[in-house]
Amino acid sequence: MLDDALPEPDLESRVNDRDHQALKLWLRLLACTTRIEDQIRQRLRADFGTTLPRFDLLAQLERHPDGLSMRELSQRLMVTGGNVTGITDQLEAEGLVQREPHPSDRRSFTVKLTAAGRRQFKRMAATHEGWIVELMAGWDKEQKSQVYELLAGLKTHLAETTRK
Amino acid sequence: MLDDALPEPDLESRVNDRDHQALKLWLRLLACTTRIEDQIRQRLRADFGTTLPRFDLLAQLERHPDGLSMRELSQRLMVTGGNVTGITDQLEAEGLVQREPHPSDRRSFTVKLTAAGRRQFKRMAATHEGWIVELMAGWDKEQKSQVYELLAGLKTHLAETTRK
DNA sequence: TATTGTTATACTCTATAACTATA
DNA sequence: TATAGTTATAGAGTATAACAATA
């Protein structure tokens, strides 16, 4: 098997000969994504002094120039409200985002990127994409396309299966 | 696009129309694996009162009946030594593993599963595999096989690319 | 000197629950 | 009553660095 040629032990090495297809696939999938994610975290910290959750929050705001409420951010980032408060506090202290009062609901805010936040995110996003291109270079264009389409099916299944 | 039919916003929704193939693929990949991993963590906690790192450590020991040193565990689990000490302490307190003195090197231990640890791990592993089968059921056998083979290429590339 | 493992410390991310202000 | 957001707290997981014992 191709894989036995790889000397480095890692999370996938937890798999056993008797194990079944789904499990083997999952462990290999996990090994790959973990490795990429670790790289991204390391590089975000080293090059930009930031973290993946902070980057993710900025990315959501960049997609929504009109801003998002704390609750919407919480849903999109899939974390609880208290955490969004914390991350938003940090980003606001860095001057990258700001809370604006909601026009009609005085309980709520609209969180938006500042001009500085937008500039900074654009810089980070461009670099980040370069990292991804580099890390995914193990697949050619056609292979990427194949996996992308295959993942659509898995994603749909997960959305239907994993409520809460 | 198939994906626009999915209403639920998640991490993949950070992607933008102008973004490129590698990035879109990565975000979809990350969304799927994160979702599965979150499920596994939740279920390990709910059903067995344990965590993924603890499960992973037991899995490594199950594959190595002769035991592993702390250093080997650290490498295989890809975490620093201090963390392995902590996780091993917990598992030892639960009676699932034990440290045995290394025969020739008095600085070192060999960590092994206890009989209880082996029994408990077998139970957990069987349940765990059922979860994985369920969560990966979005792909049929042929699709699983395809992705498995494709991942081999990515994994090799990552092993060659991401040294520290 | 280098290595094995432990300890101490600190930081990030996370969830839960109690709380306030408003709807 | 319900909802938006905050605060407080606790716990898991991680890294770093200083340390003791041994090689």
Side-chain angles (χ1 to χ4, degrees):
Chain A
M1 209 188 305
L2 211 170
D3 216 49
D4 293 340
L6 297 172
E8 248 178 317
D10 64 9
L11 292 175
E12 190 182 342
S13 67
R14 149 182 138 198
V15 81
N16 205 305
D17 285 349
R18 294 182 308 282
D19 292 325
H20 302 121
Q21 188 190 27
L23 184 55
K24 290 167 81 162
L25 171 55
W26 164 243
L27 292 175
R28 182 170 287 183
L29 186 58
L30 185 60
C32 287
T33 53
T34 299
R35 190 142 200 165
I36 296 173
E37 203 180 344
D38 285 353
Q39 284 289 313
I40 299 300
R41 287 184 197 275
Q42 268 185 293
R43 296 179 186 189
L44 278 176
R45 175 161 305 283
D47 292 12
F48 296 110
T50 194
T51 64
L52 202 45
R54 266 179 269 192
F55 182 79
D56 285 343
L57 194 152
L58 294 179
Q60 291 292 344
L61 293 184
E62 206 251 357
R63 283 204 71 213
H64 298 274
D66 294 341
L68 293 169
S69 70
M70 299 298 276
R71 187 162 170 282
E72 287 169 326
L73 281 170
S74 166
Q75 290 173 333
R76 285 172 186 280
L77 299 173
M78 297 189 288
V79 296
T80 52
N83 299 310
V84 175
T85 297
I87 298 173
T88 303
D89 285 350
Q90 295 171 342
L91 292 172
E92 196 162 30
E94 295 171 34
L96 302 181
V97 309
Q98 65 187 57
R99 290 171 167 94
E100 293 178 6
H102 186 100
S104 62
D105 186 339
R106 288 193 308 175
R107 294 170 306 180
S108 183
F109 306 108
T110 302
V111 186
K112 292 184 183 175
L113 286 179
T114 62
R118 196 173 322 277
R119 272 199 308 277
Q120 171 67 353
F121 178 75
K122 279 200 200 315
R123 282 208 306 131
M124 294 196 295
T127 305
H128 172 266
E129 181 168 350
W131 295 336
I132 297 300
V133 168
E134 168 200 337
L135 293 166
M136 302 292 264
W139 284 333
D140 63 29
K141 190 171 174 181
E142 170 59 24
Q143 290 173 316
K144 287 196 193 80
S145 172
Q146 273 181 50
V147 179
Y148 188 74
E149 292 310 321
L150 283 162
L151 284 169
L154 180 60
K155 192 173 177 181
T156 301
H157 172 255
L158 291 172
E160 288 163 358
T161 307
T162 65
R163 301 280 169 207
K164 175 63 193 167
Chain B
M1 213 186 304
L2 211 169
D3 215 51
D4 294 340
L6 297 172
E8 249 177 315
D10 65 7
L11 292 176
E12 189 182 342
S13 68
R14 150 183 137 195
V15 81
N16 207 304
D17 285 348
R18 294 181 308 284
D19 292 325
H20 302 120
Q21 189 189 29
L23 183 55
K24 289 168 81 162
L25 171 54
W26 165 243
L27 292 175
R28 182 171 286 184
L29 186 59
L30 184 60
C32 287
T33 53
T34 300
R35 190 141 200 165
I36 295 173
E37 205 181 343
D38 284 352
Q39 284 289 311
I40 299 300
R41 287 183 197 276
Q42 268 184 250
R43 295 179 187 190
L44 278 177
R45 175 162 305 282
D47 292 12
F48 296 109
T50 194
T51 64
L52 200 44
R54 266 179 270 191
F55 182 80
D56 285 344
L57 194 152
L58 294 178
Q60 290 293 344
L61 293 184
E62 206 252 355
R63 284 203 71 214
H64 299 274
D66 294 340
L68 294 169
S69 69
M70 300 298 276
R71 188 163 169 281
E72 287 169 327
L73 281 169
S74 165
Q75 290 172 333
R76 285 173 186 280
L77 299 172
M78 297 191 289
V79 297
T80 53
N83 299 309
V84 175
T85 297
I87 298 173
T88 303
D89 286 349
Q90 295 171 341
L91 293 171
E92 198 163 29
E94 295 170 34
L96 302 180
V97 309
Q98 64 186 60
R99 289 170 168 94
E100 293 178 4
H102 186 99
S104 61
D105 186 338
R106 290 194 306 177
R107 292 171 307 181
S108 183
F109 305 110
T110 302
V111 186
K112 291 184 183 175
L113 286 180
T114 62
R118 196 175 322 275
R119 273 199 309 277
Q120 170 68 354
F121 178 74
K122 279 200 200 314
R123 282 209 306 129
M124 293 196 297
T127 305
H128 173 266
E129 179 166 351
W131 296 335
I132 297 299
V133 168
E134 169 200 336
L135 292 166
M136 302 292 260
W139 285 332
D140 62 29
K141 191 173 174 181
E142 170 59 24
Q143 290 172 315
K144 287 195 194 78
S145 172
Q146 272 181 51
V147 179
Y148 188 74
E149 293 309 321
L150 283 163
L151 284 169
L154 180 59
K155 193 173 176 181
T156 301
H157 172 255
L158 290 172
E160 289 162 357
T161 309
T162 65
R163 301 281 170 203
K164 179 58 192 166

